[in-house]
Amino acid sequence: MTTNNVWFVTGASKGLGLTLVRQLLAAGYAVAATSRRLADLQQAVSADTARFLPLQMDLGSAESVREAIEATISTLGGLNVVVNNAGYGLVGGLEELTDQDARQNFDVNVFGLLHVLRAATPHLRQQRAGQVFNISSIGGFTGNFPGFGIYCGTKFAVAGITESYAAEMKDFNVHATVVYPGYFRTEFLSAGSLGTPQNPIAAYQSIRDSQVAHEQQINGNQPGDPVKAAQVLMQISEAESPPVHLFLGEDAYQLAAQKIAAVQQDLRQWQAVASATSFPVEA
C-alpha cells in the first residue's frame, strides 16, 4: 500500500465487492463499504477497526449517495479509489421482459453508478488525483448471450460511460477503468442476484437453455477466483498508468478475442461498400 489508501466500494455485502473489502482491510487500506441492508454488511465483514466504515446506501437516491460519500471523507479522512460494483443480473428475452424489468436493471446498474460518480467526482477533481473502477462484465463487451440483452445493455452503458469519464478526467489526473470480469465464483448467478422473466415464452428454447446453464451448471463452477480478482484491482490502483479497459479472467480474454475477430471480419467484408458513402471530392 502506498498512497491510494481510502476506498469506497458499493455492493459490498456479497460477491466480488465483499471479497474486495476483505482483501483491502487485510492489506491495511481504509474502506467505506456500502449496501442496501447495513445488517448484511456488518454480518459479512466483522472488522473491528477504525479503518472500516460500513454504510447503508440507497443507490436510487442521489441524496443517500451524496451522504455516503461525505461520511467517507469526513470519517476516513479522504477518498482515493471508488469502486462502482453494485449491480444485479437479469436473464430473459427482450420480448419476455417488461419495461419495468428493464428500467429497474438500468436504475441500479447504470443510474446508480452515475449517482456515485456525480457525488465523488468533485472531490477527486479538486484534489487532482484518484482512481475509479466501474465494474462492467464481459457481457458489457460482447452481447452474444441469448437472454441477456437488457443486462448486457446496462453493462455496455457502463463501458461507454467509463470511456468518456476517463477522457473528461484526464486533465485532472483522475484515472477511470472499466472492468470486464468473466465468470467468477460468487453469488452472482444465485436467485438473489439474478432476475428472471415472470412470463417466459416457450418458443425461446435458446434462452431457456442459457438460463438453465447459468443457474444450474455454471453457478458454483465458475473458473475465476474473486480473491485474485480483488488483488488485481489493488495492484492497478497503485499503478502509474492504469488501463482504461481491464479484462478479468482467461475466459474474458477469450470472449473478447472472439468479439474483436467478428468485428474485424464484418469490417473487411463490408468496407468497400460501407465506406463509399462520402460526398464526391470536388476537383
Side-chain angles (χ1 to χ4, degrees):
M1 184 183 69
T2 55
T3 57
N4 293 334
N5 59 328
V6 180
W7 289 57
F8 181 87
V9 183
T10 70
S13 62
K14 59 184 178 180
L16 178 61
L18 174 58
T19 301
L20 176 60
V21 168
R22 288 172 172 168
Q23 292 296 307
L24 289 168
L25 291 172
Y29 292 92
V31 184
T34 79
S35 176
R36 290 175 297 168
R37 292 181 288 271
L38 185 60
D40 291 350
L41 182 56
Q42 292 171 324
Q43 183 176 1
V45 184
S46 56
D48 185 16
T49 171
R51 291 185 291 104
F52 178 53
L53 178 64
L55 295 167
Q56 190 281 330
M57 188 181 78
D58 177 7
L59 266 180
S61 165
E63 181 65 16
S64 177
V65 173
R66 184 186 62 78
E67 290 174 353
I69 292 290
E70 290 180 352
T72 299
I73 296 170
S74 62
T75 304
L76 298 179
L79 178 63
N80 303 102
V81 184
V82 175
V83 184
N84 276 303
N85 170 73
Y88 70 95
L90 180 64
V91 59
L94 295 177
E95 183 183 358
E96 296 174 317
L97 295 171
T98 66
D99 186 70
Q100 183 180 11
D101 292 332
R103 289 178 183 275
Q104 286 178 343
N105 206 212
F106 271 86
D107 280 343
V108 174
N109 293 4
V110 179
F111 290 100
L113 176 147
L114 287 171
H115 283 156
V116 174
L117 288 183
R118 293 191 190 100
T121 297
H123 177 79
L124 301 177
R125 175 170 50 79
Q126 289 165 15
Q127 73 182 10
R128 303 187 72 85
Q131 169 71 48
V132 174
F133 291 107
N134 290 333
I135 309 299
S136 178
S137 162
I138 190 57
F141 187 77
T142 174
N144 190 25
F145 299 98
F148 283 87
I150 295 300
Y151 174 73
C152 287
T154 68
K155 293 304 186 177
F156 267 76
V158 169
I161 287 168
T162 308
E163 288 186 2
S164 289
Y165 184 75
E168 293 172 0
M169 301 306 292
K170 187 174 182 179
D171 291 341
F172 305 103
N173 195 39
V174 176
H175 302 284
T177 300
V178 53
V179 183
Y180 305 98
Y183 289 100
F184 280 82
R185 202 167 298 177
T186 68
E187 304 94 331
F188 180 73
L189 295 177
S190 63
S193 299
L194 185 66
T196 57
Q198 294 182 355
N199 299 297
I201 299 172
Y204 287 114
Q205 189 58 48
S206 64
I207 294 175
R208 298 291 79 76
D209 291 343
S210 178
Q211 181 178 338
V212 169
H214 281 83
E215 292 178 327
Q216 299 181 17
Q217 281 89 49
I218 299 175
N219 189 27
N221 296 302
Q222 297 97 322
D225 181 347
V227 171
K228 293 179 180 178
Q231 291 170 349
V232 172
L233 296 183
M234 292 160 61
Q235 180 179 346
I236 288 177
S237 76
E238 301 289 354
E240 289 186 8
S241 300
V244 175
H245 301 273
L246 174 64
F247 292 89
L248 271 181
E250 180 62 28
D251 56 344
Y253 269 78
Q254 292 172 355
L255 289 167
Q258 293 172 13
K259 164 70 178 283
I260 292 169
V263 171
Q264 289 177 330
Q265 180 178 346
D266 287 343
L267 286 171
R268 288 191 298 267
Q269 181 177 356
W270 291 98
Q271 181 175 5
V273 173
S275 61
T277 50
S278 301
F279 288 107
V281 178
E282 295 183 2

